[in-house]
Amino acid sequence: MPRYVVSVKTKRAPEDVFAYLSDLRTFAEWDPGVDRVELVSGTAGGADAAYDVTVNGSIELRYEVTDLIPGHRATLVADNGRFRSVDVVTVERTADGSLATYDAELTFSGRLRWLSFALTPVFNRIGDKAGAGLEAALDGTVVEA
């Protein structure tokens, strides 16, 4: 199953970084594959939030927060029947700011399940573009996790 993990070290306060990343409406600002995000229920960045996300012009996903540790970790899940995306945002305090980690994993269903291995390089290229966008949005530096 394709997985992409990126960590960005930034001088920004962890509270600010977490607030920014746990509200999916900001994804369109830093992930070039995300066209539109709309909060459809709950509170933005909250444990009850659900978002409709349009990816690559035509893929519609409903992301829901399934686990939230305020200020530290948010788990967001989308499942459209063809694949399931589990995205985990983690923010840790560092001596001079914070370390934000974005971990995305796709699990394919049906016939696509057999294509997972072949789709991993494509997912990594998409992830690299999002990682660069996240690095710029947080005024940070990508680091090894």
Side-chain angles (χ1 to χ4, degrees), residues 14-15 18-19 22 45-47 67-74 91:
E15 300 80 15
F18 187 80
S22 64
D67 183 46
L68 181 73
I69 300 172
H72 177 64
R73 179 183 163 139
V91 178

Side-chain angles (χ1 to χ4, degrees), residues 3-7 101-105 123-124 127-128 142-143 145:
R3 181 174 182 205
Y4 187 82
V5 180
V6 64
S7 293
T101 300
Y102 192 86
D103 185 341
E105 185 173 66
F123 191 58
N124 286 336
D128 285 342
V142 171
V143 296

Side-chain angles (χ1 to χ4, degrees), residues 4 20 28 31 39 45 61 63 68 76 82 86 96-97:
Y4 187 82
Y20 181 75
D31 186 339
L39 177 68
L61 300 167
Y63 273 92
L68 181 73
L76 307 130
R82 293 174 297 193
V86 177
D96 61 346

